[in-house]
Amino acid sequence: MFSDFISISIASILKKAGILAGATFVGLGISTTVFAETLTVWDDHDSESRAAVMTELNANFQKAHPDVKLDHTVRDFQDLNLTLKLAVSSGDGPVVTKVNQGAGAMGAMVKENLLVPVDNYLKKYGWDKNQSDSLLARDRWSSKGEFGVGETYGISSLAEIVGLYYNEKVLKAAGVELPIKNFDDFLAALDKVKAGGTAPLTIGTAKGHLALHMLAGISQAHIDASDRKALDDLIYGRGGTWNTPGNLESVSLVQNWAKNGYFFDGYQGISGDDAVQLFVAGQGAFLISGTWYFGDMQNNPDIHFMPIPAPAGIKHPLSVGGVDLAWAITGLAKSDKMKDLAGEYINYMVSKEASVTWVRAGYLPATPVSEDAGGSASPLLKEGISIWKSLNDNNALGHYPDWASPTMLKTFDENTPLLLANKETPEELIGKLDADYSAYMKSK
């Protein structure tokens, strides 16, 4: 207790005397470190594996910045969304945080001047060399509240791609020749598998969003990256319509699959997660979903991943995808020195070094790395890394369609089961999507 008192007293005296912080003092058997800065960080990496990665990354940053104390807090997604804006506005929140993209979180905080633009750091560290413009646009808001344009307020660490999982063993048994090169090859493969007595597509619609991802994935694979403006305008709230030939064709195709036995039997009564487990067990030739299932899929070495194939003539097809919550700097970074420290922290979190750490843990990073990064990436993850690099190089990362309005996900969820049950026509579904979007545009 006496030595503790001396330690505290020495630290207090040194601080009052203006002696440089960050030094270590040894005397009377006492070692006292006075930190120059405290960096308060919140994130949403609450799973055991993701938390372990963050522990390693934070330790690396701390080692490189011994005069900085990291005050790190982990919150789950819901808690972060509920508390972040209030905490920052009250002055008791983080300097660096993960924040959900979209009007309800990032957009609202930008409107109230609770976030700091990161464009200076984007240029300084070359983030635009590692992540495509369409990816970075997901963190942009204008002073007028426009999504996808204006200053940049964040950048993400992890990537998501909706693509086509296929079971090589099942396909070869059905006589399907690999690789599948285009959409016509894909359709022919479906027919061949079905003719052999197996439902080619595994899906579950009782819970989850496999049907939404199937509709969006097929539709956007029919859009070339050079012709993406109409989709971008629709998703970013600049106007547009769902009533396009590509959307109608895709919706009609999926409805026909449901009517004609292309889906796994009993799909209406199982969840998306259950459908994935059936697919891992060898039930079905194809499944359309995202890279977040890599951990499940790698348990079956016959399963591979590819972009949803495009029709002939589409050079760089869009793939539905996105990123995890963005790293951002809050208005609690009052000084340029603190902003620069926050920018340096975020830069490390999206660096290639950090990306390799994520790969070793089985996650797909948003910053591209080599396919053999870390030497331990699974075959599936290597395929995902290669696809992600190509999408970024060609500005071909598409959008989740439910981003188009605050209620669009609900509209999809209520109507896709009716479409698949043949109780709603493709035109009726498209009409309801347009009605939802129109109401949102009027409300703005």
Side-chain angles (χ1 to χ4, degrees), residues 124-349:
K124 177 180 179 179
Y125 295 115
W127 294 342
D128 56 343
K129 303 297 190 299
N130 291 325
Q131 297 192 23
S132 69
D133 188 70
S134 66
L135 198 63
L136 295 169
R138 297 155 198 254
D139 299 297
R140 290 188 181 130
W141 285 89
S142 76
S143 58
K144 298 179 181 179
E146 299 164 312
F147 187 23
V149 295
E151 293 180 297
T152 312
Y153 288 89
I155 186 170
S156 297
S157 299
L158 299 179
E160 297 175 352
I161 309 166
V162 173
L164 183 67
Y165 289 99
Y166 64 94
N167 187 312
E168 184 175 4
K169 183 177 180 180
V170 172
L171 290 177
K172 286 185 175 179
V176 174
E177 185 177 341
L178 296 172
I180 295 170
K181 298 178 181 179
N182 53 49
F183 199 68
D184 283 342
D185 284 353
F186 175 50
L187 295 178
L190 294 176
D191 290 340
K192 188 166 283 190
V193 172
K194 184 174 181 293
T198 300
L201 288 159
T202 302
I203 187 173
T205 60
K207 184 179 179 182
H209 302 103
L210 291 187
L212 167 61
H213 294 152
M214 179 181 286
L215 289 168
I218 293 168
S219 175
Q220 292 183 34
H222 284 62
I223 302 173
D224 193 275
S226 63
D227 193 32
R228 61 176 298 151
K229 185 179 183 302
L231 177 66
D232 288 341
D233 287 347
L234 187 71
I235 298 301
Y236 288 130
R238 302 171 196 150
T241 178
W242 296 94
N243 192 5
T244 66
N247 280 339
L248 280 169
E249 182 182 345
S250 300
V251 172
S252 298
L253 177 65
V254 171
Q255 186 182 59
N256 285 331
W257 284 343
K259 288 194 295 186
N260 295 308
Y262 283 77
F263 290 169
F264 185 86
D265 190 35
Y267 71 91
Q268 303 98 326
I270 61 174
S271 69
D273 287 345
D274 288 341
V276 167
Q277 295 308 315
L278 289 170
F279 184 73
V280 171
Q283 302 291 324
F286 297 101
L287 183 140
I288 294 175
S289 190
T291 50
W292 51 87
Y293 282 125
F294 273 177
D296 299 90
M297 298 294 184
Q298 67 186 3
N299 294 322
N300 185 336
D302 296 318
I303 294 175
H304 298 272
F305 186 76
M306 64 178 288
I308 295 175
I314 303 293
K315 186 176 181 181
H316 298 301
L318 299 186
S319 288
V320 174
V323 285
D324 71 334
L325 273 61
W327 289 107
I329 303 172
T330 75
L332 298 182
K334 300 297 184 184
S335 67
D336 288 341
K337 183 179 180 182
M338 181 58 72
K339 291 174 186 175
D340 288 346
L341 178 61
E344 193 171 348
Y345 178 87
I346 292 174
N347 181 59
Y348 178 64
M349 290 299 148

Side-chain angles (χ1 to χ4, degrees), residues 7 9 12 25 29 75 81 107 158 161 174 176 198 313 321 323 327 393 411 413 419 426 430 434:
S7 173
S9 299
S12 301
F25 304 92
R75 298 180 181 274
N81 270 350
L158 299 179
I161 309 166
V176 174
T198 300
V323 285
W327 289 107
D393 288 347
T411 300
D413 285 347
L419 176 83
I430 296 294
D434 263 348

Side-chain angles (χ1 to χ4, degrees), residues 48 57 69 72 116 130 135 161 177 219 308 344 351 360 376 385 395 409 419 423 433:
E48 184 177 348
L57 295 180
K69 178 183 178 183
H72 175 229
V116 175
N130 291 325
L135 198 63
I161 309 166
E177 185 177 341
S219 175
I308 295 175
E344 193 171 348
S351 67
R360 287 173 178 163
S376 59
I385 290 170
N395 196 28
L409 181 60
L419 176 83
K423 295 181 179 179
L433 298 179

Side-chain angles (χ1 to χ4, degrees), residues 415 423-433:
N415 289 280
K423 295 181 179 179
E424 187 169 278
T425 67
E427 291 78 10
E428 286 171 335
L429 171 62
I430 296 294
K432 290 182 178 179
L433 298 179

